[in-house]
Each structure stands twice: as C-alpha cells, then as structure tokens.
Amino acid sequence: MAMLLMGAPLIGCSSSSPDGPKIVYPEKPVQYPMYDRTTLDREADWHTNNAHDPSIIKTEDGTYYVVGTDVRVGAPPKPGIMVRKSKDLIEWDWVGYALDGIPREAGEWTGATNLWAPDVHKFGDKYYLYYAASTFGSNRSYIGVATSSSMEGPWEDQGEVVKSDTGDEMNAIDPNIVIDADGKPWMSYGSFFGGIYLMELDPATGKPLKPGDKGVRIARRDPATEEGALEGPYIVYNEKFKKYYLFVSYDSLFADYNVRVGRSDRIAGPYVDMNGRSLDDADYLPQYEIGNKIMGGYRFSEGEGWIGPGHNSVLNDGGDYYIVHHARPEGDKNWMYLHVRRMLWTKEGWPVVSPERYAGEKEQKIAKADVAGDWDRIVFDKETDGQSEAVPLKLLANGRIGAKDGRDEWAFDGDHTVTLTWREEDGSVASTEELLLLPAWDWERDKPTLVFTGLRNDGTGVWGKKLDDRDD
C-alpha cells in the first residue's frame, strides 16, 4: 500500500536571483492514504477516495461541496449521490448521500442500480441537484432533479427533466447547468450516441423552458468508430475573454480518458479549438485531432502516475479558476480519487491545467533565474492512448534548450510566462509553446517545486516540473 502521510507545514521562499521576486510555495498539504482497504466500509474515511464524475459548488458561507457518481471499490455502491465538503479545496470530509436510493420514476424508466454524474446549482433560495440514471451501453436514460434549502439536505425529488429512449440520438445523462452572459440558465448533457446537447431552462422550475424540448446538438464524435467516445460536458463563461468554454472527456474512462476544450462566442456554439476545428464535426478525420487536449493520463520521472483523468467540473472562485475531476492511479485502476487543480489562462484566452494537485498555491511573478535548470516535460499528444511519459528538458541560462549551441530556445516575459521555440534543422520554426509558471506542491516527490502548464501552437497540452537548478 502506498502511504501518503501528513507532515509539518513547509513554506519555500527562495529565488536564484537576489534582486528578483521570492517564490512563495504552498505549505505541505494533508495527504490521505491510497489503496487503504481498511476504510472500504467506513465512508467517513473516504475523503478523496471513491470519487467519480465530481461536480463542485461553493455556498455563501464559503464551503465547497462536491457531488459525484455512486461508486465503491470492492463492492456494489450504495445509490443516492455522494456528497463531500471542504473549506480549502484540499481537505475533504464526507457528508453523506443526497437521496435515499434511486427515485422511483428514474428507476422504472431505466432499471438503473446507481446514479451517475450529478450537477448542482442554486436558483433563488433553493439548491437544484440534477442526477442521471441509466445502464451501461444503453441510452434509455433519465435526468431528474431534486431540491433542497441546504446542500446537506434533506432533498425532495422533483422528477423528470429530460429522458431518452432506444432510437433517440441523444443520451440523457451527464447534466451540467450553466448561466449565460444574460443570466439565462441552460443545461448541457449527453454521452456517446448522438453527442452533447444544450437546452434552455426555466429558472422557476429548473426544467426545460419549452416542455418536451431536448435541445440542440453542440458536440459529437462518430459513434461508429473507435474514436466515438465523448461525454461529460461542462460549460463555463469567462467574462474577461467574453467567451464560452466547453469541456468534454474523450475516450475510455478506464484507460485513455482525456479532457478536451473548445470555445465559442455564443452559448449554443459552434465550439472550436485553437485550429478552428468544431467539436461538432464528426466527419473530420482523424477525430483525435479535434479539441485542445489539456489533460490526459500521465507519469512523471519519479512517483506513481495517473490514468484516465476526466469528467470534470470547473469552479470560478472570485476570478480564481479550478478544475475538479477524477483520476485512477496506475497501481490499481479500480480505485478512483478526487483531484482539484488550479486552472490558468493563456494570453489568447485558453484554459490550461496545473500538472500538480492544488495545495494552496497562488499565481505570482517569477524571476528569470528561477526558470533555468532541469525539468520534466510532458506533452499530451492528441494521438497518444493511455499515459504520456515525462522526458528531460534542460533550460540553460543563456536562453538555449538542451545545449549552449543548440538551435532550440526559450524566452521569458519577465512575469510568469515562458515560450519554448522548437526549430527544424534549417532553423525554421517547427512549433512553439506558451507555458505559464506556477509554484506548486510536488506530490510525487513530497516537496515544493516550480511547474509550468500551457499549450503548443496546435492545441496540445504541455506540462512541466522543475527538478533542480543545474546548468551545464
């Protein structure tokens, strides 16, 4: 069993440049035991374990709540929608189940044995908990909603929001509530089959504004091919860039799950990636090239890696953005853990994700001297199945990459952005990467370190972690 232990607080305040800004690292976070079979029958000790398809909300008193799919390692799950809470996005405590089993109408329509992929939103003085019921491989599915005056219940089922049946294009699971720039509520939903759909809601009921409406399609993949897996939509609006961002998960949740992003000027799309390709284009081949791939399975050079990160939600916490998702450890992919990561934004207005789980870190100005050194670098190539492996990256103080007389180079903007330029043998530019620096906690090596996250110019996600300050 891999044991992660809680330790004394550690704050790093160091800089290679005596005149530059000092890096303020996060304190050592609480770390829960992994693969701990002694807790399988004690839900109060699950903390971040047995978390799948997490959706997050922050209440007025500053408490964060996550709801998720009914799952359990080693035994059938209890149905009812798991609820957890936190005050800092790091330590998570068990609250309980929102519902006492599967609501009658949902069970009768689907034959479901557990509830999937919930989402929660507050309309007025009530919380609306959207849940999905179905069975694997079927689109005879059902999205319902329950209401409560408190995130800790009791919840009262309000019945059907939308349902689908065999032969329908859509699949009524994976609901997500989003408020547009005009204050109107919408629900995105869908998985496999005909793709992702969007419908407008009535804020008075939390149900379709037009009775019987099943919405319009905003994303899809070809379901007849191996590249047809698409699910877990989540839409956020960024006021700074005046754009809507659609996050979706591609591929198999047990093996090569990964998160893709497209954006649009309108909530109903079209959502396009950095290359202008629409997430609704099921005819473009190869399908794996569509969408900015910002996160997938990975392994750094030290420590255990992760498989299948995905089915995310996004929290805008007063201008600080976080992505919340599940992931499976490579040691035993039957286990599922809750991950929270800082999400940053490139100058061009694209979201990127920290390579390390959140430990309280803040964006800050970095000294150029702190950038040079040896790094791990992970590139989430879009055609990669499974884990992306770290490779060495040497950033030299003279601005070169790898060797002092090399053709590849890096540049620093004087704040917290590094640009890598990779050149062909004739000196022409092959690709560039815009990378944002962030002090973080190195969960694999149990120490603070500097990381970067960003995008290659073709929409491929790039992560990095600094290992030391050697400059040969």
Side-chain angles (χ1 to χ4, degrees), residues 102 105-114 133-135 138 140-142 164:
I102 298 173
E105 289 183 4
E108 290 177 351
W109 179 255
T110 66
T113 58
N114 61 334
S134 189
T135 56
S138 169
R140 186 175 173 87
S141 307
Y142 179 106
S164 56

Side-chain angles (χ1 to χ4, degrees), residues 2 34-35 254-255 297-309 327-337 339 357 386-390 444:
M34 291 178 62
Y35 309 125
F254 293 106
Y298 68 92
R299 182 192 296 114
F300 283 106
S301 61
E302 298 180 52
E304 185 173 359
W306 292 90
I307 296 170
R328 299 170 184 269
E330 65 178 350
D332 184 346
K333 64 183 181 181
N334 291 304
W335 295 75
M336 298 146 286
Y337 291 97
H339 285 201
R357 284 166 281 164
Q387 290 174 293
S388 295
E389 303 274 353
E444 290 77 23

Side-chain angles (χ1 to χ4, degrees), residues 219-276:
R220 62 173 173 163
R221 300 180 80 190
D222 184 354
T225 70
E226 293 182 357
E227 299 177 348
L230 166 69
E231 61 184 10
Y234 204 92
I235 299 175
V236 295
Y237 179 72
N238 188 308
E239 175 66 27
K240 177 180 178 180
F241 299 109
K242 308 295 184 187
K243 293 193 182 288
Y244 298 91
Y245 295 81
L246 171 61
F247 297 75
V248 290
S249 291
Y250 274 24
D251 304 328
S252 168
L253 63 88
F254 293 106
D256 52 0
Y257 224 32
N258 61 94
V259 177
R260 306 284 178 125
V261 178
R263 71 181 183 186
S264 174
D265 295 325
R266 300 172 54 250
I267 193 167
Y271 287 89
V272 299
D273 61 18
M274 282 182 69
N275 301 300

Side-chain angles (χ1 to χ4, degrees), residues 327-373:
R328 299 170 184 269
E330 65 178 350
D332 184 346
K333 64 183 181 181
N334 291 304
W335 295 75
M336 298 146 286
Y337 291 97
L338 175 67
H339 285 201
V340 179
R341 300 173 189 265
R342 281 296 298 263
M343 195 166 73
L344 309 179
W345 299 84
T346 68
K347 294 174 183 177
E348 291 75 28
W350 289 106
V352 292
V353 177
S354 173
E356 293 289 354
R357 284 166 281 164
Y358 179 67
E361 61 267 20
K362 301 291 184 183
E363 287 185 79
Q364 55 196 270
K365 190 172 183 178
I366 306 297
K368 183 178 181 179
D370 286 316
V371 181

